[in-house]
């Protein structure tokens, strides 16, 4: 009897173990199936995400941008020859910033990344460490480069000639219409901002008697179309809305690089590599989002109120032609 009981107990135990095992297998199986489904969904999700292409080898990159700038130089020279009668000759050289160690010469065009490039020139001059310079405000950067970055005019004439003949000379341009909108956002619309450059208060005072501003209270903002009319009047010149070709004289100075603001990341990489600057990262932005006028929706909305776009194009026609930009209207 004892043996029979033991056999029954063992049979019962085996039954429990087998049942449990089967349940475990079923559970594991279901978990595996559901897990595969989840993994499948996850993989499908990953496939839908755009994967950034691998960075191209530096030799290929440099060759590509070298070709781009050679073609750009040829286009500028051809356009200069065709329209030389309309383009004034350089009477006085622009302000050219120089770095002797890396053999760089930089001409500033406002609203084309000048603050970021002046930060780079400050770091290369040994003024402060990179992290410190990146924390500086735009007015602080402007004050600092004027004291700590050498200008071409500070060198003897013979050395100036050698610098211009052997250094990498570069300037930047931007689509004329987005640049104009950026000027408005930065210098006119945000005039109460702590970074606002006081000099523009003079222009705002001159705009007041001309447009709708006078019909409102003193704190009302000047609209973009009012600013455009002010610019088109031609009475008041400023480099921030002046034609780009009149600032750095690309028809008189043969720049090695005329960079496009719209492709700043790659253009900066090309210039820094060309100048053997390998330990610096170009700043991605100057700091204020309000001045980002390249956003398509902002751009369309702002220009929808401009009644005479044809006249505005004529004002900047040579910038469009020289630098390869198209009229969006």
């Amino acid at each position: 009897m004892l043996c029979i009981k033991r056999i029954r107990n063992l049979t019962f135990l085996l039954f429990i173990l087998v049942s449990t095992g089967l349940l475990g297998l079923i559970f594991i199986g279901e978990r595996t199936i559901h897990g595969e489904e989840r993994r499948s969904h996850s993989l499908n999700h990953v496939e839908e995400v755009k994967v950034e292409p691998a960075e191209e080898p530096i030799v290929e990159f440099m060759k590509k941008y070298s070709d781009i700038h050679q073609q750009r130089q040829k286009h500028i020279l051809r356009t200069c020859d065709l329209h030389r009668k309309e383009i004034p000759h350089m009477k006085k050289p622009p302000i050219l910033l120089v770095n002797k160690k890396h053999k760089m010469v930089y001409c500033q065009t406002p609203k084309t990344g000048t603050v970021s490039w002046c930060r780079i020139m400050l770091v290369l001059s040994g003024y402060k460490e990179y992290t410190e310079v990146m924390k500086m405000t735009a007015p602080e950067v402007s004050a600092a480069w004027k004291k700590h970055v050498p200008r071409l005019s500070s060198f003897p004439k013979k050395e100036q000639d050698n610098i211009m003949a052997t250094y990498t000379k570069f300037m930047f341009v931007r689509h004329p219409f987005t640049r104009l909108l950026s000027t408005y956002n930065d210098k006119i619309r945000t005039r109460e901002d702590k970074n606002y450059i006081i000099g523009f208060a003079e222009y705002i005072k001159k705009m007041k008697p001309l447009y709708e501003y006078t019909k409102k209270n003193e704190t009302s903002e000047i609209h973009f179309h009012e600013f455009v009319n002010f610019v088109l009047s031609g009475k008041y010149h400023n480099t921030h809305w002046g034609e780009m070709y009149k600032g750095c004289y690309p028809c008189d100075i043969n720049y090695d690089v005329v960079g496009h603001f719209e492709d700043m990341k790659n253009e900066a990489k090309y210039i820094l590599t060309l100048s053997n600057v390998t330990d610096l990262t170009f700043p991605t932005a100057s700091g204020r989002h309000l001045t980002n006028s390249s956003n398509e929706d902002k751009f369309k909305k702002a220009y929808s109120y401009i009644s005479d776009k044809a006249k505005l194009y004529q004002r900047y026609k040579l910038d469009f032609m020289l630098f390869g930009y198209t009229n969006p209207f």
Side-chain angles (χ1 to χ4, degrees):
M1 288 293 292
L2 186 59
C3 288
I4 292 170
K5 282 185 178 180
R6 283 180 180 174
I7 290 168
R8 285 177 179 172
N9 288 340
L10 284 170
T11 302
F12 181 70
L13 183 60
L14 284 169
F15 174 77
I16 291 173
L17 288 171
V18 170
S19 301
T20 307
L22 285 170
L23 286 171
L25 285 169
I26 291 166
F27 176 74
I28 292 168
E30 287 183 349
R31 188 174 61 184
T32 303
I33 291 166
H34 291 305
E36 288 298 331
E37 287 178 357
R38 283 195 293 271
R39 193 177 298 115
S40 176
H41 289 314
S42 177
L43 287 171
N44 289 337
H45 178 69
V46 170
E47 286 169 4
E48 291 170 3
V49 175
K50 185 179 178 181
V51 178
E52 290 294 326
E55 191 170 340
E56 64 184 310
I58 191 65
V59 174
E60 292 178 18
F61 172 85
M62 294 301 287
K63 174 67 169 62
K64 181 172 78 175
Y65 272 82
S66 175
D67 291 344
I68 286 171
H69 286 290
Q70 284 180 26
Q71 292 303 313
R72 205 172 278 172
Q73 280 179 315
K74 289 177 183 177
H75 171 79
I76 290 171
L77 288 173
R78 279 197 305 268
T79 309
C80 288
D81 289 341
L82 287 170
H83 298 274
R84 189 73 255 199
K85 290 182 180 179
E86 302 171 66
I87 299 171
H89 287 271
M90 180 175 69
K91 294 180 180 178
K92 181 183 177 183
I95 294 172
L96 297 169
L97 306 186
V98 177
N99 182 269
K100 292 192 73 175
K101 181 180 177 182
H102 294 280
K103 297 188 174 183
M104 302 166 72
V105 176
Y106 170 50
C107 181
Q108 303 174 70
T109 301
K111 306 312 300 171
T112 63
T114 52
V115 174
S116 295
W117 275 110
C118 285
R119 290 183 198 276
I120 292 293
M121 297 300 280
L122 279 168
V123 174
L124 295 177
S125 72
Y127 171 62
K128 283 183 179 180
E129 292 295 321
Y130 178 88
T131 51
E132 293 180 74
V133 173
M134 293 306 126
K135 293 175 184 176
M136 294 168 64
T137 64
E140 287 171 344
V141 170
S142 180
W145 73 253
K146 290 170 184 174
K147 292 182 180 179
H148 301 284
V149 179
R151 303 183 190 191
L152 181 70
S153 57
S154 67
F155 296 93
K157 181 64 172 67
K158 189 175 180 180
E159 191 170 0
Q160 287 184 37
D161 294 341
N162 180 60
I163 287 170
M164 293 302 284
T166 60
Y167 284 23
T168 298
K169 303 175 292 296
F170 67 100
M171 62 171 285
F172 271 82
V173 294
R174 183 178 186 174
H175 191 287
F177 288 170
T178 59
R179 178 173 174 259
L180 188 63
L181 180 56
S182 181
T183 295
Y184 164 74
N185 283 334
D186 188 20
K187 306 303 180 188
I188 307 301
R189 183 184 177 192
T190 57
R191 62 190 182 279
E192 301 302 330
D193 190 280
K194 64 180 180 180
N195 291 325
Y196 168 63
I197 299 174
I198 299 299
F200 284 86
E202 175 190 348
Y203 294 105
I204 291 172
K205 285 179 183 177
K206 289 172 181 175
M207 289 181 205
K208 286 181 184 180
L210 302 176
Y211 306 114
E212 299 172 16
Y213 195 91
T214 51
K215 300 175 185 177
K216 304 167 186 175
N217 60 52
E218 195 67 17
T219 59
S220 297
E221 77 174 30
I222 293 171
H223 296 125
F224 179 59
H225 71 273
E226 294 170 338
F227 170 66
V228 168
N229 290 337
F230 177 80
V231 170
L232 286 175
S233 72
K235 295 178 181 178
Y236 307 103
H237 176 73
N238 185 280
T239 56
H240 286 76
W241 60 75
E243 295 90 331
M244 291 178 284
Y245 73 88
K246 289 181 178 179
C248 289
Y249 297 101
C251 290
D252 297 279
I253 298 173
N254 188 21
Y255 290 95
D256 302 285
V257 178
V258 177
H260 280 204
F261 175 85
E262 294 81 4
D263 190 28
M264 181 61 80
K265 181 181 177 181
N266 288 318
E267 300 278 23
K269 179 181 174 180
Y270 177 70
I271 294 166
L272 294 175
T273 305
L274 205 61
S275 306
N276 199 29
V277 180
T278 57
D279 55 346
L280 293 182
T281 302
F282 189 81
T284 54
S286 299
R288 280 190 288 173
H289 299 294
L290 270 175
T291 63
N292 180 9
S293 306
S294 301
N295 179 284
E296 190 175 351
D297 291 336
K298 289 180 183 178
F299 178 85
K300 286 181 178 178
K301 184 178 179 181
Y303 276 91
S304 66
Y305 297 100
I306 307 303
S307 57
D308 201 346
K309 297 182 182 70
K311 186 177 179 181
L312 189 62
Y313 172 77
Q314 286 300 316
R315 166 69 190 265
Y316 296 103
K317 181 182 74 172
L318 288 171
D319 276 344
F320 277 99
M321 296 173 71
L322 279 164
F323 307 125
Y325 290 105
T326 56
N327 184 357
F329 305 114

